[in-house]
Amino acid sequence: MSDTNPLLQLTQYFKGEADCPKSCAQPNFWSYEKMWVENAAERAEDIPRLLEYKRDVLPYYDEEDGIPLSLKALLYNRYTHWCGGYALEDEVRGFKEFLHENYLRRK
């Protein structure tokens, strides 16, 4: 993977490496970003995860934070997989906090 790939400018952790660097503070985020960058299908407009995100999440959380919608949908999918099971409004609120505190590293 070329480090001149413009998608790499949109990632926080994955920068084109073949393997996750030992110094990476968030290997899960690195691996999700790697999958998103390397697989065009992950960025498709009609991927079910993105359609679900647009339908369920955007009415509650449509913040412009520089994260592409398809990547944010992937992160939300993984968040609800590991931390979900609550009412939609609560999951979205938790995801927003999680995203800022863990992925973007800001509150």
Side-chain angles (χ1 to χ4, degrees):
M1 159 113 358
S2 167
D3 61 358
T4 60
N5 183 329
L7 293 173
L8 296 176
Q9 296 176 8
L10 303 171
T11 59
Q12 302 287 319
Y13 299 93
F14 177 65
K15 298 302 176 193
E17 311 92 342
D19 296 307
C20 185
K22 297 210 183 292
S23 62
C24 181
Q26 297 286 348
N28 286 337
F29 289 141
W30 182 91
S31 118
Y32 299 148
E33 288 180 344
K34 182 178 192 301
M35 179 174 62
W36 180 79
V37 168
E38 292 182 345
N39 299 299
E42 294 294 332
R43 300 183 305 276
E45 289 294 316
D46 62 347
I47 190 169
R49 161 174 57 239
L50 180 57
L51 298 173
E52 176 185 43
Y53 186 87
K54 287 179 178 179
R55 182 190 69 233
D56 294 345
V57 180
L58 285 182
Y60 300 103
Y61 177 49
D62 187 15
E63 183 174 323
E64 180 51 49
D65 49 23
I67 303 171
L69 202 54
S70 58
L71 179 55
K72 196 182 295 187
L74 172 61
L75 295 173
Y76 178 74
N77 175 270
R78 297 296 71 212
Y79 172 80
T80 57
H81 173 77
W82 295 109
C83 304
Y86 300 98
L88 182 59
E89 295 89 351
D90 293 332
E91 282 189 349
V92 172
R93 187 177 315 106
F95 173 66
K96 181 178 179 179
E97 292 170 6
F98 170 79
L99 196 67
H100 285 267
E101 292 174 9
N102 296 285
Y103 183 74
L104 295 172
R105 297 276 190 193
R106 62 179 185 235
K107 292 186 179 184

